[in-house]
Amino acid sequence: MFNIELISIDKGTQSRVAISQDTVDDYARQMDDGAKFPPVVVFSDGVEHYLADGFHRYFATRKLERTTISVDIVKGTLREAIFYSLKANKAHGLRPSNADKRKSVIIMLKDHEWVLWADRQIAAHCGVSHVFVAKLRKELSGGKAQTTRKYKGKGGNVSTFTNRQTQEPEPEAPVYDQKQEMMEALVVENEKLSEQLAIATIDGTTEEKGLATTMIGDLKEEIRLLQIELVSVKKSRDMFQAENAQLKKQVAMMQKKLKAVENA
């Protein structure tokens, strides 16, 4: 349990466009009835504590005028907290609206490092389609397609090369996005119903059922954190492979030049 007054919520770690007051009220009612919610996620840099996931739980707790809240504290910077927040609502809680998804993608596309990611990487992190990311990337670049590559030059310094070509905007895919969103919502709802059914069939006391509900929530949160770590590892691997391929090309070019000099 952590002092709620020590948690910073105004440093850009809120990936949603707005807080749903209806959701806050609903969570507060459940909390007041004794329901246990998963801990909010807080990143700490040793000085400040940034709320990265659990804004509705945070505001519901404040509505009940409670002074402490259950937290998972992660050592990390403000930037890492923002990065975490961009995908925090993919697998649980209130489903992100289209405006929420747009905000998350734009945050990544306006960042000096994340903008270099491929559309599919950004889409996977934010929980949207790559078509949606491509559309926003073109929108932010004034309708110009951008191809950005990273390569490592002399001394190990990473440089970038961006090729811009004016193209007609690709057609949107509203039908695909709508179907995808509906499918994701159905999957989430099915998981919730399955959990409720599993709890209802437990032959135990109300307290034991409440404990089982908490354990399921904790396990889901652990799985979500592991999935985030897995995505990060895969991104690092892909970046290393890309840099390795670029180095091989540079070595091949140098070998051709040396051979040309020897034959001259």
Coordinates of all heavy atoms in Angstrom, one line a residue, residues 49 74 117 161 166 182 209 216 235 263:
H49 N 7.3 9.5 -8.4 CA 6.6 8.3 -8.6 C 5.5 8.6 -9.6 O 4.6 9.3 -9.4 CB 6.0 7.7 -7.3 CG 7.0 7.5 -6.2 ND1 7.4 8.5 -5.4 CD2 7.7 6.4 -5.9 CE1 8.3 8.1 -4.5 NE2 8.5 6.8 -4.8
V74 N 7.8 0.0 -10.1 CA 8.8 -0.4 -11.1 C 9.9 0.7 -11.1 O 9.6 1.9 -11.2 CB 8.2 -0.5 -12.5 CG1 9.3 -1.0 -13.5 CG2 7.1 -1.5 -12.5
W117 N 10.5 3.4 -35.5 CA 10.0 2.1 -35.5 C 9.1 1.9 -36.7 O 8.5 2.8 -37.3 CB 9.1 1.8 -34.3 CG 9.9 1.7 -33.0 CD1 11.2 2.0 -32.7 CD2 9.4 1.1 -31.8 NE1 11.5 1.8 -31.4 CE2 10.4 1.2 -30.8 CE3 8.2 0.6 -31.4 CZ2 10.3 0.7 -29.5 CZ3 8.0 0.1 -30.1 CH2 9.1 0.2 -29.2
F161 N 18.7 7.6 -42.0 CA 18.5 8.2 -43.4 C 17.0 8.1 -43.7 O 16.4 7.1 -43.5 CB 19.2 7.4 -44.4 CG 18.9 7.8 -45.8 CD1 19.4 8.9 -46.4 CD2 18.0 7.0 -46.6 CE1 19.1 9.3 -47.7 CE2 17.7 7.4 -47.9 CZ 18.2 8.5 -48.4
T166 N 6.4 12.1 -52.1 CA 5.0 12.5 -52.0 C 4.1 11.5 -52.7 O 4.4 11.0 -53.8 CB 4.8 13.9 -52.8 OG1 5.6 14.8 -52.2 CG2 3.3 14.3 -52.7
M182 N -14.3 -5.0 -32.7 CA -15.4 -5.8 -32.2 C -14.9 -7.2 -31.8 O -15.3 -7.7 -30.7 CB -16.5 -5.9 -33.3 CG -17.3 -4.7 -33.6 SD -18.4 -4.9 -35.0 CE -19.5 -6.1 -34.3
K209 N -13.8 -17.1 -2.5 CA -14.0 -16.7 -3.9 C -13.4 -15.4 -4.2 O -12.9 -15.1 -5.3 CB -15.5 -16.7 -4.1 CG -16.2 -18.0 -4.1 CD -17.7 -17.9 -4.5 CE -18.3 -19.3 -4.5 NZ -19.8 -19.3 -4.9
I216 N -6.6 -14.5 -9.7 CA -6.7 -14.4 -11.2 C -6.3 -13.1 -11.7 O -5.6 -13.0 -12.7 CB -8.2 -14.7 -11.6 CG1 -8.5 -16.2 -11.3 CG2 -8.4 -14.4 -13.0 CD1 -10.0 -16.5 -11.5
K235 N 11.9 -6.6 -30.0 CA 12.3 -5.4 -30.7 C 13.8 -5.2 -30.7 O 14.4 -4.8 -31.7 CB 11.6 -4.2 -30.0 CG 10.2 -4.1 -30.3 CD 9.6 -2.8 -29.7 CE 8.2 -2.6 -30.1 NZ 7.2 -3.5 -29.5
N263 N 43.3 -4.0 -58.0 CA 43.4 -4.4 -59.5 C 43.8 -3.2 -60.3 O 44.0 -3.3 -61.5 CB 42.0 -4.9 -59.9 CG 41.7 -6.2 -59.3 OD1 42.6 -7.0 -58.9 ND2 40.4 -6.5 -59.1

